[in-house]
Amino acid sequence: MAGDRIVMVSPDGRRWGLPGGRPERDEGWVDVMRRAVREEACAEVMDCRLLGFRRVVCVRGPEEGLVLVRSMWRAEVRPAVWDPRFEMTHRRLLPWEEARRSLAVPEGLGPFYSRLFAEAAVRTGVPEQGQLPGS
């Protein structure tokens, strides 16, 4: 969050999501989040709160069988000058309703994202539990 706006990023300007990343070396959870926000969204984390964790098992492709555990955060950020140097080439700061319509939600994860935004206390236009964002 940057004030009342949600920070969204995209590698192609078509599919929009939230900043995220995998740990490098011996990074702690909060360090991963701060680095991912800095690298992907060109923003500095001013304050943050851990919302929880999600566990995902890769079911196909080169990482089939790999188990990923991701920490999920609510972060207040200060956007810096947009100077993308990594895989994300676009950034937008959107009000909730527009962010909800833009979010690329992986199949089956609508209820997860609804809960994530509810836990983050993004109150304006929060969908009902189990409702797919953007629907």
Side-chain angles (χ1 to χ4, degrees):
M1 301 286 302
D4 63 349
R5 306 281 175 154
I6 295 176
V7 179
M8 300 186 76
V9 293
S10 172
D12 58 14
R14 293 186 310 263
R15 292 182 43 87
W16 292 90
L18 303 171
R22 293 185 182 188
E24 293 180 357
R25 293 174 237 93
D26 293 326
E27 279 183 312
W29 295 105
V30 72
D31 299 320
V32 175
M33 183 271 301
R34 288 180 182 279
R35 179 183 49 77
V37 169
R38 184 177 59 252
E39 290 178 357
E40 292 193 356
C42 295
E44 178 186 358
V45 174
M46 307 307 294
D47 190 30
C48 61
R49 176 170 51 98
L50 178 64
L51 300 175
F53 296 90
R54 74 176 177 167
R55 179 181 176 273
V56 179
V57 179
C58 299
V59 296
R60 62 183 157 280
E63 294 183 331
E64 183 176 350
L66 182 66
V67 177
L68 302 173
V69 177
R70 302 291 176 113
S71 59
M72 307 305 292
W73 298 83
R74 183 197 197 288
E76 289 292 332
V77 304
R78 180 179 341 155
V81 173
W82 180 240
D83 183 22
R85 296 176 185 210
F86 297 92
E87 66 273 8
M88 297 301 165
T89 58
H90 297 76
R91 173 183 77 183
R92 298 196 292 186
L93 285 77
L94 301 173
W96 161 249
E97 199 55 41
E98 193 173 342
R100 183 174 74 99
R101 287 190 302 269
S102 300
L103 188 63
V105 177
E107 184 178 336
L109 290 182
F112 172 79
Y113 277 91
S114 293
R115 178 68 185 264
L116 177 67
F117 281 99
E119 291 291 328
V122 178
R123 300 197 189 285
T124 306
V126 172
E128 294 299 318
Q129 180 68 21
Q131 180 181 346
L132 179 66
S135 61

